[in-house]
């Protein structure tokens, strides 16, 4: 298998379909393989043994030749079969194609051992003799070059049915059996990891044979097995895969095939780097699945999500209530132009206004759009209501802010990189130091329309202002007839322990910007909330959004708001976050200058002369903790609000231990 830029190239897969009940599976499976970036072609459908028994030896010999040629040519055969009667011939062909390298190993996922011999008694079928044949206990007349498999590199996973003779036979040969009891005790991920180590010890590579009859609701379920199969992507010595009885569950057959044969992490990262704009520099991990507070990469490794997509996944990955609402609403109605009304949006608007205490709400998609909406409202309010001369309105923000990356918003930024190369910026934008109320008052002029502020600066490093600062800013703005607009895109909806972070100081801004968590991690949903005195500056045609307020987004947002209330997530964030912050404060050492935050919005400020935050984030990634550095000095921790205390306790232990190890001086032996 060729390497491309340090990573395994996408596999060349040859789809071979054995005729019978599995016929025509290839059409849908080919689509799924290609969608997943797998280079697959269909060899054709081989005639099944049930139609012309006399032709069976010819069929098996042909199948062996197809597999041998494929492996010899660098392709990976993917065999779909109605049973395992032809499996031995397929793997014999693979073994012949690899004969120069040595014998091959095998992982057999099956409810049976398939190690019977005709002498064991009546009723022994060909597929019951799979292991016996491949291990040389039962040799077909057509080929005497046995054994094809290295017995010490063979294992059976999920077995629960065998005879005494079969168990004695595989034990004598050195085959490792992982029964369903062991899977129940240890989990399929740990068992499959051990099975991989055994199979990969073979000099010639290994094959995987998966019989869907092994699936059992209580013992081996499809979801965890899919995750385990992702580990096969990182195995260049995987030679072939079979899915037997694929007709039993075509959708799961496709899921298993994609999990096992999809591009490796390195291949996917190289693809993204080659074809994507270089406006991100992601950490070295590629995710394929998420559930609750956990994510799994394309190698099947699990990580605790301590970022929650900057609060967008505050309700966890794939919350069942959100998925249910998403599916039901998508089946009913997902999008119409705002030239028409729908039955979902009015309910969301009413709920937002009642919940947050404002008279009107304007829905859009991303947080950036909501900020732009607020800026447009503030400027027009300044001209229509305050009496500022046309074109002269001013907006004040804070140093260290992050409100988005549009041209207008980066004009407010104090971050040089966000501004570099994107000017000229709209006029009327200025900044004051975060946490300095006197500076705000000094900056206000008769032309000032609004003060735009994050109650806690997220991207700025989880920076909290001095106690009482926001309340004083609100008083200053009221006195000078200036709109106080709070950007609660990251801090809102329970993140800090209250529904809005402004509530910690009893502040009611003239406008509030919501986003991220409002979409439940499924859709971009944001909104600008204000009273009629501000919102009514908009007339039809002044502002709009094709997708803003669509019925699908409205239905998901309504359910997200219900979940926050029903599961008491504000209260949980307050108590769990305080416990987590104390654990970090008590455990971290000299590299940490400060642990700060509120609720489940925590920043660990590192001394850059002792420890680089980006390096720390990479080491935490290796230990299964997802975080991201800010300005190379602060580690952000903002997990889904549904995280359990036991999971937070584990995270705190790993974080403290990792930071301690990284700042520990290396002792060089004298």
């Amino acid at each position: 298998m060729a390497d491309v830029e340090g990573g395994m190239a996408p596999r060349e897969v040859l789809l071979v379909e054995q005729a019978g009940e599995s016929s025509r599976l290839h059409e849908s499976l080919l689509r799924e393989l290609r969608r997943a970036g797998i280079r697959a072609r269909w060899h054709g459908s081989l005639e099944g043994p049930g139609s012309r028994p006399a032709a069976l030896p010819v069929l098996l010999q042909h199948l062996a030749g197809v597999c041998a040629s494929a492996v010899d040519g660098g392709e990976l055969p993917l065999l779909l079969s109605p049973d395992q009667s032809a499996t031995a011939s397929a793997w014999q062909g693979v073994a012949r194609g690899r004969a120069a390298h040595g014998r091959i190993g095998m992982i057999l996922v099956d409810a049976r051992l398939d190690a019977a011999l005709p002498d064991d008694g009546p009723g022994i079928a060909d597929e019951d003799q799979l292991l016996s044949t491949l291990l040389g206990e039962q040799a077909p007349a057509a080929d005497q070059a046995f054994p094809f498999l290295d017995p010490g590199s063979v294992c059976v996973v999920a077995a629960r049915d065998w005879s005494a003779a079969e168990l004695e036979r595989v034990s004598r040969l050195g085959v490792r059996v992982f029964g369903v009891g062991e899977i129940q005790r240890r989990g399929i991920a740990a068992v499959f990891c051990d099975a991989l180590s055994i199979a990969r010890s073979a000099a010639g590579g290994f094959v995987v044979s998966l019989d869907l009859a092994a699936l059992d609701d209580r013992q081996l379920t499809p979801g965890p097995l899919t995750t385990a199969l992702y580990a096969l992507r990182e195995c260049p010595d995987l030679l072939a895969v079979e899915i037997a009885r694929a007709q039993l569950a075509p959708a799961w057959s496709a899921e298993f095939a994609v999990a096992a044969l999809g591009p490796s992490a390195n291949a996917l990262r190289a693809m993204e780097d080659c074809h994507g704009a270089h406006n991100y520099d992601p950490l070295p991990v590629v995710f394929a699945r998420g559930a609750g507070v956990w994510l799994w990469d394309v190698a099947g490794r699990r990580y605790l999500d301590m970022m929650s997509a900057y609060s967008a996944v505050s309700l966890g990955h794939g919350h069942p209530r959100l998925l249910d609402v998403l599916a039901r609403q998508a089946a009913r109605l997902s999008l119409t132009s705002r030239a028409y009304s729908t039955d979902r949006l009015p309910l969301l608007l009413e709920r937002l206004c009642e919940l947050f205490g404002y008279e009107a709400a304007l829905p859009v998609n991303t947080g950036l759009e909501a900020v732009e909406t607020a800026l447009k409202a503030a400027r027009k309010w300044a001209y229509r209501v305050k009496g500022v001369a046309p074109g002269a309105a001013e907006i004040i923000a804070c140093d260290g802010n992050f409100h988005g990356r549009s041209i207008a918003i980066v004009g407010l930024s104090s971050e040089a990189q966000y501004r570099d190369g994107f000017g000229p910026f709209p006029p009327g934008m200025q900044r004051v130091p975060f946490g300095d109320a006197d500076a705000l008052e000094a900056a206000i002029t008769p032309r000032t329309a609004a003060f735009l502020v994050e109650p806690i600066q997220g991207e700025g490093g989880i920076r909290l202002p001095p106690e009482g600062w926001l309340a004083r800013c609100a008083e200053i703005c009221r006195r000078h007839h200036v709109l106080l607009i709070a950007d609660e895109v990251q801090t809102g909806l329970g993140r800090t322990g209250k529904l809005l972070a402004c509530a910690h100081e009893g502040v009611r801004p003239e406008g509030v910007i919501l986003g991220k968590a409002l979409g439940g991690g499924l859709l971009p949903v944001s909104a600008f909330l204000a009273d009629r005195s501000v919102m009514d500056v908009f007339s039809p045609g002044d502002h709009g959004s094709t997708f803003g307020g669509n019925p699908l987004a409205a239905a998901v947002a309504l359910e997200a708001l219900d979940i926050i209330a029903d599961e008491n997530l504000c209260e949980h964030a307050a108590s769990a976050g305080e416990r987590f912050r104390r654990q970090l404060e008590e455990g971290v050492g000299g590299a940490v200058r400060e642990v700060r935050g509120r609720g489940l919005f925590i920043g660990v400020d590192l001394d850059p002369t002792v420890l680089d935050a980006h390096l720390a984030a990479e080491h935490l990634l290796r230990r299964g903790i997802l975080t991201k550095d800010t300005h190379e000095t602060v580690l952000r921790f903002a997990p889904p609000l549904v995280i359990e205390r036991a999971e937070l306790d584990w995270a705190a232990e790993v974080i403290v231990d990792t930071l301690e190890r990284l700042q520990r001086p290396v002792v060089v032996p004298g």
Side-chain angles (χ1 to χ4, degrees):
M1 195 69 64
D3 283 353
V4 174
E5 297 185 19
M8 204 169 69
R11 286 189 170 102
E12 302 283 350
V13 172
L14 177 67
L15 181 60
V16 182
E17 188 177 31
Q18 185 184 341
E21 292 182 83
S22 66
S23 182
R24 291 180 298 280
L25 274 175
H26 73 274
E27 295 178 5
S28 60
L29 183 53
L30 271 176
R31 283 195 300 271
E32 293 303 316
L33 292 174
R34 289 167 180 167
R35 284 173 185 162
I38 301 167
R39 298 170 183 169
R41 69 181 181 93
W42 184 46
H43 172 273
S45 181
L46 302 177
E47 184 180 353
S51 56
R52 288 192 294 165
L56 179 57
V58 177
L59 167 71
L60 297 180
Q61 186 175 6
H62 176 54
L63 176 60
V66 167
C67 291
S69 297
V71 170
D72 188 55
E75 287 185 304
L76 186 149
L78 170 59
L79 176 65
L80 300 181
S81 56
D83 52 44
Q84 290 176 302
S85 58
T87 306
S89 295
W91 294 168
Q92 287 167 13
V94 172
R96 280 203 298 269
R98 296 289 293 178
H101 300 273
R103 288 187 293 174
I104 64 174
M106 181 173 76
I107 298 175
L108 173 63
V109 182
D110 199 335
R112 304 171 308 172
L113 287 188
D114 291 336
L117 290 176
D119 294 343
D120 291 342
I124 301 299
D126 288 343
E127 59 181 306
D128 297 331
Q129 303 176 58
L130 172 62
L131 268 182
S132 302
T133 301
L134 289 169
L135 292 171
E137 297 286 289
Q138 168 78 1
D143 199 327
Q144 300 297 325
F146 287 98
F148 289 96
L149 300 183
D150 177 359
S153 301
V154 174
C155 51
V156 183
V157 174
R160 56 180 179 268
D161 181 20
W162 57 73
S163 69
E166 287 180 293
L167 185 60
E168 185 280 329
R169 190 167 294 121
V170 297
S171 299
R172 170 172 50 81
L173 293 170
V175 174
R176 175 72 161 89
V177 177
F178 298 93
V180 290
E182 186 169 354
I183 291 174
Q184 286 178 309
R185 290 193 309 273
R186 301 176 55 206
I188 183 59
V191 165
F192 199 79
C193 181
D194 287 352
L196 264 182
S197 296
I198 292 170
R200 299 190 72 185
S201 66
F206 72 104
V207 297
V208 174
S209 183
L210 168 60
D211 188 340
L212 295 193
L215 300 180
D216 185 282
D217 289 340
R218 296 162 300 169
Q219 292 151 333
L220 184 61
T221 53
L225 178 58
T226 298
T227 301
L229 291 174
Y230 273 110
L232 295 174
R233 293 190 178 198
E234 304 293 332
C235 300
D237 48 344
L238 174 64
L239 304 174
V241 173
E242 177 199 30
I243 300 177
R245 278 172 260 271
Q247 76 282 356
L248 295 178
W252 281 115
S253 299
E255 187 81 12
F256 294 149
V258 167
L261 303 177
S264 68
N266 284 342
L268 288 165
R269 283 172 59 82
M271 204 181 305
E272 181 177 351
D273 184 68
C274 177
H275 300 291
H278 295 164
N279 59 320
Y280 278 94
D281 183 21
L283 288 166
V285 65
V286 178
F287 291 117
R289 189 172 77 88
V293 298
W294 299 96
L295 287 164
W296 285 263
D297 69 12
V298 293
R301 292 180 288 262
R302 190 177 76 157
Y303 303 79
L304 182 62
D305 187 357
M306 294 295 288
M307 280 291 291
S308 62
Y310 298 95
S311 296
V313 190
S314 283
L315 304 183
H317 298 275
H319 194 293
R321 284 175 55 177
L322 290 173
L323 293 179
D324 179 60
V325 166
L326 181 75
R328 286 191 287 112
Q329 184 60 41
R332 291 178 65 242
L333 179 66
S334 60
L335 179 67
T336 67
S337 164
R338 286 294 304 278
Y340 318 101
S341 294
T342 69
D343 63 347
R344 295 292 93 189
L345 178 58
L347 303 181
L348 175 62
L349 297 177
E350 179 184 52
R351 182 72 190 282
L352 287 170
C353 290
E354 290 180 349
L355 189 60
F356 296 99
Y358 290 91
E359 294 174 351
L362 196 161
V364 288
N365 305 295
T366 66
L368 179 150
E369 289 179 73
V371 173
E372 288 276 2
T373 301
L375 294 179
K376 289 176 73 172
R379 280 182 163 179
K380 197 159 191 179
W381 172 87
Y383 303 137
R384 292 285 181 86
V385 178
K386 188 173 180 177
V388 175
E394 297 174 347
I395 306 291
I396 300 175
C398 288
D399 292 336
N401 74 77
F402 184 81
H403 300 292
R405 289 192 175 98
S406 68
I407 290 290
I409 295 173
V410 297
L412 278 169
S413 178
S414 58
E415 186 71 21
Q417 183 183 2
Y418 297 164
R419 298 169 59 89
D420 184 31
F422 300 119
F425 303 108
M429 306 288 196
Q430 60 177 308
R431 298 186 307 274
V432 297
F434 183 67
D436 189 337
D438 292 334
L440 170 63
E441 185 153 27
I444 291 175
T445 73
R447 300 182 300 276
T448 304
F451 175 44
L452 174 65
V453 64
E454 301 160 276
I456 299 174
Q457 289 190 335
E459 190 65 18
I462 318 294
R463 295 178 62 209
L464 280 70
E467 193 73 28
W469 174 76
L470 191 61
R472 187 171 171 215
C473 289
E475 184 274 324
I476 291 170
C477 288
R478 283 193 300 272
R479 182 156 35 87
H480 290 278
H481 200 31
V482 169
L483 301 179
L484 174 63
I485 299 177
D487 181 347
E488 295 252 18
V489 170
Q490 291 193 40
T491 55
L493 302 176
R495 171 59 55 191
T496 66
K498 290 185 181 294
L499 205 55
L500 293 177
C502 291
H504 289 283
E505 292 196 16
V507 171
R508 183 188 185 274
E510 281 70 41
V512 167
I513 302 166
L514 298 175
K516 295 201 183 291
L518 194 58
L522 299 178
L523 297 169
V525 185
S526 298
F528 172 57
L529 280 59
D531 287 338
R532 283 292 173 194
S533 59
V534 175
M535 198 70 78
D536 280 353
V537 301
F538 288 122
S539 298
D542 280 355
H543 191 59
S545 168
T546 299
F547 286 89
N550 70 77
L552 185 61
V556 168
L558 278 165
E559 190 67 18
L561 293 171
D562 284 345
I563 291 170
I564 291 169
D566 295 346
E567 298 187 8
N568 300 312
L569 294 183
C570 292
E571 296 81 357
H572 175 66
S575 59
E578 176 65 19
R579 174 187 173 94
F580 179 61
R581 185 174 59 81
R582 284 200 313 268
Q583 288 173 315
L584 294 180
E585 286 177 334
E586 294 168 1
V588 293
V592 177
R593 296 186 293 199
E594 184 183 13
V595 178
R596 55 179 179 257
R598 184 167 278 156
L600 285 171
F601 201 43
I602 306 293
V604 176
D605 189 0
L606 302 177
D607 183 345
T609 65
V610 180
L611 182 57
D612 176 77
H614 185 76
L615 174 67
E618 288 187 334
H619 278 266
L620 286 168
L621 177 70
R622 292 174 198 148
R623 299 190 67 180
I625 298 285
L626 296 182
T627 182
K628 182 74 171 64
D629 66 289
T630 297
H631 301 301
E632 299 181 347
T633 60
V634 179
L635 294 173
R636 297 170 55 120
F637 297 104
L641 304 185
V642 296
I643 193 168
E644 300 288 345
R645 287 196 174 186
E647 293 160 336
L648 273 175
D649 289 346
W650 175 78
E653 181 180 337
V654 173
I655 293 164
V656 168
D657 182 67
T658 301
L659 295 182
E660 182 182 89
R661 288 169 183 255
L662 289 175
Q663 68 191 38
R664 187 182 300 155
V666 177
V667 178
V668 179

